[in-house]
Every structure is written in C-alpha cells, then in structure tokens.
Amino acid sequence: MAQNPNQDVNKRQLTVDDFKNYPRVAASVAYVQQHPKVVSDVLDEEGHQYVDLVQKGGGVLGVALVGYVYVLEQAGIRFMKMAGTSAGAINTSLIAIQKDKSKEKSDYLIKALSELDMFRLVDGSPFARFLIKSLVKEPDFMSRVSKLLRRAAVTIAVLLVAAFVLLGLQHSYPKLGIAAFAVFVLIGLYFLCAGVVGVYIASVLKRLKEAGFGINPGDFFYDWVKMQMLQHDIKTVADLEDRAKEVPNLHIRTPRTDTVDGIKGDVVFIASELVTQNKFELPSMARLFRTPDKMHELHPAGFVRASMSIPLFYESYYVKDIPVNDAGVKQLWASTFEVSNPPETLRFVDGGILSNFPINLFFNKNVREPRLPTFGIDLDDSTPEDKQDVPENWSLGGYLGRMFNTVRFYYDKAFSLKNRVMYKGVGKVGVADYNWLNFFLTNEQKLDLFAKGAEAAKTFLEGFDWEEYKRERAGYFEERKSNTL
C-alpha cells in the first residue's frame, strides 16, 4: 500500500486538500484533463458532458466511490440520473441533494468524508463495538477465538483429572486434601464464569432479536444523513425528488439532429424488503407507504438508511402505519407487486441483498442510439485466489463470499448477461486489500482508497469509446427488433 508523504497524517483530521492533493489523485486528474474524451452527446452551456451514474454498494469501500466521482467531475462530466445501493446510496444522496447539476459535487462529498468519524457509525453497545473492531481489524480473529475455546476445554479437562487424582491420593497423603479443595474451587469458579458468559450471550441474543437482529441501531447514521439533507433544504420526499429532477440548459452535440427533449434527472436508492420479499426503488415507491396528504411524515434520509441496513450489523429499518385500507394505496400495491393485502409494517435490509449494482435501472430497450451513456462504478473486493474457478483453492472468506454473491448478484447478473453493452460504461475499482466493514480506517487508508477510485476512473476514461458504445447499443437494438418479428 502506498504511503502518504505526510508522516503525521493519522494524527489529525483530514482536509479536502489532503484528498485532492494526494500525489496519485493529482496525477489521475492531470491525465484526464490533458487527455479529454467525448463520453456523451448531451452537454450544457459550459460544455460539461452528462451521463447517468450507478454506484455499487460496499460499506466503507464507498470512499473509493468518492475518488472515482471526483476524477469524473474533473474530466468535465456531470450526472443526470443517479442510483446506488448501500454505500452507493450514501454517495448518490450527497450528490443528489446539491443544487445545480452543472456544478461540481465531489468537494462536498470529500468534505463530508473528511469530517466524518466512521467509528461513530458503529453505535451499538461497548461489547458490540469491541466485537466488530476485533473482527474487522484482526485477520486471524476467528482462529484466535477457536484457540481460546480449545484452551478452555483443555483447561477444564486438566482440572477435572487433577481433582479426581488428588481425591484418590488424599487418603494416603492427607496434605493433598488442601490441593484437592483448591482445584474444586477453581472448577467452581470456572463454571460460574462460563455461566455468567452464557447468560450474557443469551441476553445479547434476546436484545438482538428485539432490535431487529442488528447489533447497531443505526441512529447516528440516520441522523447524519438527515443533517446533510437539511443543510441543503431537503426536508420532504418531494424536496428530494424536485431537486433530483432539476436540469440545466442542455443541448445535443452536433451533427446529431435529435433534441434533448425528455431528458430529466432522477435519484434511486435500492432497499430489500423482508415482509413482502421485494426490491424497492426509493423514493418513487414511497407512495406505497403513505397517502399523498401524509407523505410529509416520511423523511428521505430513511430511504438511505434502509438501503444501508447491513444485516446483523445494523438493525432493520421499519416503515410502520401503512394505510392498508386506503383504496389508492391498495391499488398501488396490487399494480406494483400484485399484493392484494399489503402489510401494515415493512422491514428493510441492505439493498445489496437483491441488487447491489442496479446498472439496469436507466436502460431503455426502445432506444436505438442513446444520447448519453450509463456509467457504473463497480467495487471489486475479491482476491486473485477467490476469483479462480478451482474451488479447492478458495479461502473460507472466498467460499462464503461466493455463496453470498451468488444470491445478491443474481438479479443484476441476469440483466447483464442479456445486455452486455451496458458494461461498456462500467469501471472497476480493486479494493481487495480492505474489509468492507472496517469502520476503523486510518486516515492513510482513507487516502489510499480514495486514490484507488481516482486511478480506476482515469483507467476507465482512458479506455472508454463513446462511438463504440453507441454502435453496440444500436446493434443490440436491431438484434432485439429482428428477434421480435
């Protein structure tokens, strides 16, 4: 891992300039500015090019997303429609709440990142904080726990054997009776401690169930997102939607003869709902939760919190008091999910469970030649060994990762297999060196992740070909058209 030249970087709060002036970041910016690329046919009056943007989920790896976005903006690229899951939803929200799409948004993202103490996002009990910190910061934590349990078993076995031996010998050696008594006292204390630990674990599991199976309530995270929104005058769902739809004066690149009619902004956060077992696209589906006159009861920060509800790490996010007897709400549930009797309470977990990289959201199969592309930022945290198709070589983490990814990527993969052209706009950020739940990143690690994103954006732009993208989309359109005849 690259070292920051400032040896004291971990001893102070980072600034926006720390990120922007980091040598690897500065080099990436210099390259994209010296090698401008045509990436879209939709421009504003200042010449900025517009794309739709989809950001993948990945916990703290979202720092790399910020670096990627920063370099895209330095290349003169702006964002029309935006979507994200989990960490991608956070970055998407911080971009969407800002006014004027023609202006750079990443300075605010970097400022929010530099001022945020990630450790405060872990807002559970002291034990929960200790457990999470141990799991993510100690690579051999589970092996240490295994060794501790084995040693405990061996210790109690030795004590029991010693107790029986001393009991047998005390008739011949009366003085050993004292030693036997001491051993039994130790055994009693041992089982007493084990009982206390057992009772504590049982109470923790009970509280875990009562708390929606999450060891962190997620209150700090919700309040933090809400504060960011309020600073930009976003108080209601309508405020967020109106801000996302704002579009500057646009025109089409010549020699194209079509227009920019119909192009509009949008914002989407993906969340997984467990009661009805459906994928929700928020805020557009918030009409399923409230009647129009009650929409003010919902704050859009809740949608980001729902998308970021990492199972077990965070408590589920609940939406309650759904007006299930309202005719309009019932009709909307029926038309959206074919649910005739909607539940009064919904329970949301991380959107990545169903769609961690919703690259399909802005794809229009009826368009032959797109006016602007969809760019996607993919966080790749798999190691070289775990990428192999030889299952015998996978690590335990790789095995569990493959199993989990088979579930959460299936929906997105089904789309990508039929629409590979969309991946022409996707750039990958290699982040295998980091644990996505390590909320205890050092400043140096944050800078490195940010730089990884910046470098990935530079590499992507270097290889992106807008004309080829349009040709492949046109070819895909003609192929679909011929198949339907």
Side-chain angles (χ1 to χ4, degrees):
M1 184 185 302
Q3 301 293 312
N4 189 282
N6 186 346
Q7 297 300 315
D8 297 325
V9 71
N10 288 321
K11 299 179 181 179
R12 59 177 175 80
Q13 180 174 304
L14 291 173
T15 67
V16 174
D17 287 341
D18 286 325
F19 287 95
K20 296 169 69 170
N21 295 333
Y22 195 67
R24 290 160 53 197
V25 175
S28 297
V29 170
Y31 179 87
V32 298
Q33 291 182 341
Q34 293 168 9
H35 302 81
K37 295 289 291 286
V38 173
V39 301
S40 172
D41 288 336
V42 177
L43 302 91
D44 62 24
E45 294 176 330
E46 299 177 6
H48 301 125
Q49 305 180 79
Y50 284 76
V51 305
D52 295 333
L53 182 68
V54 177
Q55 301 184 65
K56 189 177 184 179
V60 300
L61 304 180
V63 175
L65 298 176
V66 181
Y68 198 108
V69 168
Y70 172 63
V71 169
L72 291 184
E73 288 195 333
Q74 293 304 302
I77 297 170
R78 301 292 183 263
F79 313 115
M80 186 59 60
K81 296 179 180 179
M82 292 169 286
T85 299
S86 195
I90 299 174
N91 283 2
T92 295
S93 69
L94 295 183
I95 297 172
I97 62 178
Q98 298 181 63
K99 295 180 180 179
D100 194 347
K101 291 183 184 296
S102 68
K103 304 300 182 184
E104 294 180 7
K105 312 298 183 186
S106 50
D107 272 12
Y108 182 77
L109 271 68
I110 299 171
K111 183 175 184 293
L113 172 63
S114 64
E115 295 177 351
L116 174 64
D117 179 4
M118 289 187 174
F119 185 52
R120 297 190 66 186
L121 296 173
V122 186
D123 57 355
S125 67
F127 175 75
R129 291 159 72 92
F130 164 76
L131 179 63
I132 293 170
K133 191 171 185 177
S134 299
L135 285 170
V136 300
K137 294 195 73 174
E138 298 291 341
D140 61 344
F141 178 77
M142 295 309 296
S143 64
R144 286 171 56 197
V145 172
S146 179
K147 289 179 182 178
L148 182 62
L149 292 176
R150 287 198 300 270
R151 288 173 182 172
V154 170
T155 300
I156 191 63
V158 169
L159 287 173
L160 289 171
V161 170
F164 284 111
V165 170
L166 291 171
L167 279 175
L169 293 175
Q170 69 176 346
H171 298 292
S172 302
Y173 305 96
K175 291 183 178 180
L176 292 179
I178 298 176
F181 177 77
V183 170
F184 275 106
V185 170
L186 287 175
I187 291 174
L189 290 173
Y190 197 91
F191 279 107
L192 178 63
C193 290
V196 171
V197 171
V199 170
Y200 180 74
I201 291 176
S203 67
V204 169
L205 292 176
K206 182 181 179 180
R207 291 201 305 269
L208 189 65
K209 180 179 180 180
E210 294 171 348
F213 296 106
I215 58 180
N216 293 293
D219 294 337
F220 175 83
F221 173 65
Y222 172 84
D223 292 339
W224 181 80
V225 174
K226 185 176 181 179
M227 179 186 69
Q228 306 301 320
M229 291 186 171
L230 290 176
Q231 288 178 356
H232 289 84
D233 300 321
I234 304 298
K235 302 176 182 178
T236 66
V237 175
D239 289 339
L240 177 63
E241 291 180 320
D242 290 344
R243 181 65 52 80
K245 290 176 182 177
E246 293 176 0
V247 176
N249 292 324
L250 302 174
H251 63 272
I252 204 78
R253 187 186 301 275
T254 55
R256 291 186 68 149
T257 57
D258 46 356
T259 68
V260 294
D261 290 349
I263 292 180
K264 59 182 180 179
D266 195 7
V267 61
V268 183
F269 312 122
I270 301 297
S272 304
E273 203 285 308
L274 299 183
V275 178
T276 62
Q277 302 177 46
N278 284 304
K279 183 186 80 168
F280 274 68
E281 299 174 8
L282 302 169
S284 63
M285 290 185 178
R287 278 74 186 166
L288 296 165
F289 311 155
R290 293 290 187 274
T291 54
D293 61 316
K294 298 290 185 180
M295 284 298 293
H296 64 275
E297 296 178 350
L298 302 173
H299 195 283
F303 304 152
V304 184
R305 169 66 176 82
S307 183
M308 187 65 176
S309 298
I310 304 168
L312 296 182
F313 187 89
Y314 279 130
E315 295 177 13
S316 302
Y317 184 78
Y318 291 89
V319 174
K320 301 180 180 181
D321 301 322
I322 295 174
V324 295
N325 295 319
D326 181 86
V329 171
K330 292 187 70 172
Q331 175 58 37
L332 195 56
W333 273 95
S335 61
T336 304
F337 293 123
E338 298 184 355
V339 173
S340 56
N341 295 303
E344 293 185 4
T345 298
L346 297 178
R347 181 175 180 174
F348 289 96
V349 294
D350 196 312
I353 296 296
L354 293 177
S355 181
N356 202 40
F357 192 36
I359 195 70
N360 64 301
L361 283 176
F362 306 134
F363 176 72
N364 187 341
K365 65 180 181 181
N366 297 316
V367 171
R368 183 184 187 280
E369 184 177 356
R371 292 170 290 181
L372 72 169
T374 295
F375 279 3
I377 312 175
D378 185 6
L379 298 172
D380 184 6
D381 60 354
S382 56
T383 64
E385 295 77 13
D386 297 333
K387 290 180 182 179
Q388 294 178 5
D389 292 328
V390 183
E392 294 84 356
N393 295 339
W394 296 345
S395 64
L396 175 60
Y399 164 72
L400 295 175
R402 287 244 179 174
M403 185 167 59
F404 183 54
N405 289 343
T406 298
V407 177
R408 65 175 180 153
F409 291 154
Y410 181 79
Y411 185 89
D412 298 330
K413 190 174 183 180
F415 170 81
S416 68
L417 289 174
K418 298 178 181 179
N419 307 279
R420 293 189 180 278
V421 62
M422 293 298 289
Y423 279 78
K424 290 285 184 181
V426 174
K428 286 183 178 290
V429 188
V431 288
D433 296 338
Y434 293 94
N435 186 318
W436 64 291
L437 286 178
N438 185 5
F439 287 85
F440 313 94
L441 292 173
T442 65
N443 286 346
E444 194 171 344
Q445 290 173 323
K446 292 178 184 178
L447 290 170
D448 181 61
L449 270 173
F450 186 87
K452 285 180 180 292
E455 291 169 335
K458 173 256 183 186
T459 300
F460 165 74
L461 289 175
E462 187 178 11
F464 181 73
D465 188 326
W466 173 228
E467 294 302 322
E468 180 183 4
Y469 184 99
K470 289 189 291 185
R471 284 195 300 270
E472 291 203 16
R473 276 290 301 273
Y476 168 81
F477 176 87
E478 296 298 337
E479 180 181 348
R480 287 182 62 91
K481 184 178 178 180
S482 62
N483 289 336
T484 57
L485 296 177

